[in-house]
Amino acid sequence: MGNVLLTGDRPSGQLHLGHYVGSLKNRVQLQDSGEYECFVLIADVQALTDNFEAPQHVRDNVYEVALDYLAVGIDPARTTVSIQSLMPALSELTVYYLNLVTLARLERNPTVKAEIAQKAFKGGVPAGFVCYPVSQAADITFCKANVVPVGIDQLPMIEQTREVVRSFNGIYGEVLVEPEALIPADEKSQRLPGITGNDTKMSKSLGNGIYLADDRDTLWAKVRQMYTDPGHLRVSDPGSVEGNTVFTYLDVFDTDAAQVDGLKEHYRRGGLGDVKVKEHLFEVLDVELAPIRERRAEFAKDKAAVLTMLREGTDRANEVAAATLREVRAAMRIDYFG
Ligand code: ATP
Ligand code: MG
């Protein structure tokens, strides 16, 4: 069995730095290694579970996320990019898998629990939302992925998928593959905080993100707003680097670790102002983001080509999914006419 990579993103907004360090970098690296068959899914069905009243928002962001992919180096010649809602096999697999999961187990999923608390759904929690880990199991298994590059918030989802796979294979026979999560080696990249502080994950739905598409002015405006040490009032005051988002970002993005150590030492001692550190972080981020931004603008000039990539990727993914579905149906004894 070869190596198969699958991962995805919800088109609930454009992609941000959290996606970049949490998952995009790993997937581009594995794509470029040539050792993986690669699939990336734009999870619009999942985005609709908490954006069902905002269909145009989800639709617009399918295109935006596709542009972000191209901008960071996902290459449609080597990675199959598909749209979840245009893959009927995923809905069918989800329905079969729903029997292999209890409601109690779904309600215990810590990420789903945290998201429910954060979203405070007005009319109660949609059943589709509680069940989205099951639809994710369908996403991961349609191509028999064994590697899933994700941020740490996704570990409970991968665990649920593994349970579904074990249950399915135990009852119906060895058809599905148990996936492994691939999370970034560096702890701070596993869950990059938003600009408002280290306690909260950078998230499209929270409006605390630095987006890959942000221009220089927007980038600076966001870096300027970033949470630092609230006790660091005067430049001369000693400051704390722990829990200080600007230093968290420098740990992740500044490749010159010795220089970061020097800045930390100076900040702790006093005499280094927040604006100075922020100016440095801004330059570090801009070096990383400027080429991505430029490539994104280039790809945005030809929307038809982006849509063609999505259509062709979806066709290809559907072929792979149909083959898995045939095996699943046979194993479940519902292949009535062969
Ligand atoms: P939403 O708020 O709509 O859920 P999101 O920002 O959480 O959006 P997703 O589309 O849910 O983004 O996540 C896509 C991938 O990016 C997942 O693998 C997830 O783990 C990873 N990811 C998202 N946010 C971060 C982050 N702040 N740090 C590291 N990885 C992240
Ligand atoms: Mg999310």
Side-chain angles (χ1 to χ4, degrees), residues 40-220:
V40 172
L41 189 77
I42 304 186
D44 59 341
V45 176
Q46 193 187 117
L48 283 165
T49 62
D50 56 334
N51 289 277
F52 54 90
E53 290 171 317
Q56 191 62 43
H57 176 70
V58 173
R59 185 189 176 104
D60 292 343
N61 280 300
V62 168
Y63 171 68
E64 297 295 327
V65 167
L67 275 182
D68 287 324
Y69 288 166
L70 292 165
V72 297
I74 288 182
D75 171 7
R78 291 177 291 169
T79 293
T80 301
V81 182
S82 63
I83 300 178
Q84 191 182 27
S85 62
L86 294 179
M87 297 183 62
L90 298 180
S91 304
E92 193 172 332
L93 290 173
T94 302
V95 171
Y96 302 146
Y97 296 169
L98 278 168
N99 299 326
L100 308 177
V101 183
T102 65
L103 201 50
R105 174 68 183 87
L106 284 167
E107 285 167 349
R108 267 203 318 274
N109 183 306
T111 299
V112 174
K113 254 177 147 168
E115 289 175 346
I116 287 173
Q118 169 216 310
K119 287 176 202 295
F121 288 103
K122 278 197 285 316
V125 183
F129 188 81
V130 184
C131 294
Y132 89 70
V134 183
S135 113
Q136 235 173 283
D139 302 340
I140 294 170
T141 53
F142 91 79
C143 56
K144 302 188 179 178
N146 61 336
V147 176
V148 189
V150 283
I152 208 160
D153 64 306
Q154 290 300 308
L155 286 186
M157 308 305 162
I158 311 299
E159 188 46 40
Q160 280 215 288
T161 298
R162 291 165 63 88
E163 288 171 23
V164 166
V165 168
R166 283 200 291 271
S167 172
F168 185 99
N169 288 350
I171 299 168
Y172 304 115
E174 289 288 322
V175 172
L176 304 177
V177 172
E178 252 187 76
E180 303 273 352
L182 175 70
I183 56 171
D186 148 44
E187 206 180 304
K188 290 175 178 160
S189 298
Q190 296 170 356
R191 182 187 175 279
L192 190 76
I195 57 173
T196 50
N198 276 1
D199 293 342
T200 316
K201 166 180 116 58
M202 184 178 287
S203 168
K204 293 186 226 97
S205 306
L206 295 178
N208 62 359
I210 293 178
Y211 293 92
L212 301 179
D214 283 346
D215 59 28
R216 254 178 86 85
D217 290 348
T218 308
L219 178 63
W220 173 236

Side-chain angles (χ1 to χ4, degrees), residues 241-262:
V241 301
E242 281 75 36
N244 184 323
T245 314
V246 175
F247 283 99
T248 305
Y249 276 47
L250 285 177
D251 283 336
V252 172
F253 292 100
D254 193 340
T255 47
D256 188 343
Q259 191 182 339
V260 175
D261 283 346

Side-chain angles (χ1 to χ4, degrees), residues 9-22:
D9 306 277
R10 295 151 40 90
S12 48
Q14 293 178 340
L15 299 187
H16 52 58
L17 284 177
H19 301 113
Y20 183 60
V21 295

